Amino acid sequence: MRVLGIDPGLTRCGVGVVDGSIGTPLALVGAGAIRTSPEEDLAARLLGIERGVEAWLDDHRPEAVAVERVFAQHNVATVMGTAQAGAVAITCAARRGLPVALHTPSEVKAAVTGSGRADKAQVGMMVARLLKLDGPPRPADAADAVALAICQIWRGGAQSRIANAKQEFARKVELARRARDR
């Protein structure tokens, strides 16, 4: 499975693409950041993020997209900008019919490091170790985006299998009910 991870932000929107599945080695396909200038107006910045996300989707053709879920901060302007950038990324993926998963920072940290309280350095170190890199992807937003992609591969794959198993069970229950009612 190929997943595009997106760490939303107005100035630097981290992006990272990882190939892998549960039980197989992970491979980094690409990582970077979509940048916009704080001097530009909001509409121009969001348009720049959209163009950047669309380019990553075109270039890497992921099967799913994982976006960091916005969490409460004291700085409302930062939360709003992050939420708006995240909404642009979600819209780009939805336009292509790609499944989108949202993960909180603590979910990503726990998936990658084993601790939901890990700091950025620990996350970057584990991303590098898991992908057999000399160091974490740069900038730090790219490393966070790669961690999101890894989290989705590991957690999303399991969640998808559970959902499929539930659907199959419900289907069999319905078939048994119909057979009994005949």
Side-chain angles (χ1 to χ4, degrees):
M1 170 178 259
R2 177 169 286 188
V3 177
L4 170 62
I6 300 175
D7 180 28
L10 278 177
T11 303
R12 280 186 326 272
C13 182
V15 286
V17 179
V18 177
D19 281 343
S21 62
I22 295 173
T24 65
L26 300 170
L28 179 65
V29 177
I34 301 164
R35 299 176 188 272
T36 66
S37 172
E39 281 76 46
E40 290 182 300
D41 72 336
L42 177 63
R45 294 177 83 182
L46 293 174
L47 187 58
I49 291 168
E50 180 190 30
R51 288 180 181 140
V53 170
E54 289 289 348
W56 276 81
L57 290 168
D58 286 341
D59 292 346
H60 300 289
R61 305 242 181 256
E63 298 165 64
V65 175
V67 179
E68 185 173 276
R69 184 185 303 269
V70 176
F71 61 97
Q73 289 182 344
H74 297 295
N75 187 340
V76 174
T78 300
V79 170
M80 288 300 298
T82 301
Q84 290 163 331
V88 166
I90 292 166
T91 301
C92 291
R95 187 180 297 131
R96 293 170 185 245
L98 294 171
V100 177
L102 300 175
H103 298 286
T104 65
S106 59
E107 287 174 336
V108 175
K109 292 173 184 180
V112 174
T113 70
S115 169
R117 296 178 184 249
D119 62 24
K120 277 193 176 283
Q122 289 171 309
V123 171
M125 181 184 72
M126 283 305 297
V127 164
R129 183 177 290 165
L130 291 167
L131 296 171
K132 296 176 178 46
L133 305 173
D134 292 335
R138 296 280 178 224
D141 306 281
D144 290 344
V146 170
L148 275 153
I150 293 169
C151 177
Q152 178 57 26
I153 288 168
W154 287 349
R155 289 189 172 203
Q159 290 168 348
S160 176
R161 284 194 304 279
I162 290 168
N164 288 341
K166 286 180 178 179
Q167 284 180 332
E168 181 62 15
F169 179 75
R171 186 183 72 77
K172 288 181 178 179
V173 166
E174 180 61 20
L175 288 173
R177 185 190 62 77
R178 287 181 186 172
R180 185 190 67 219
D181 291 345
R182 286 186 186 162

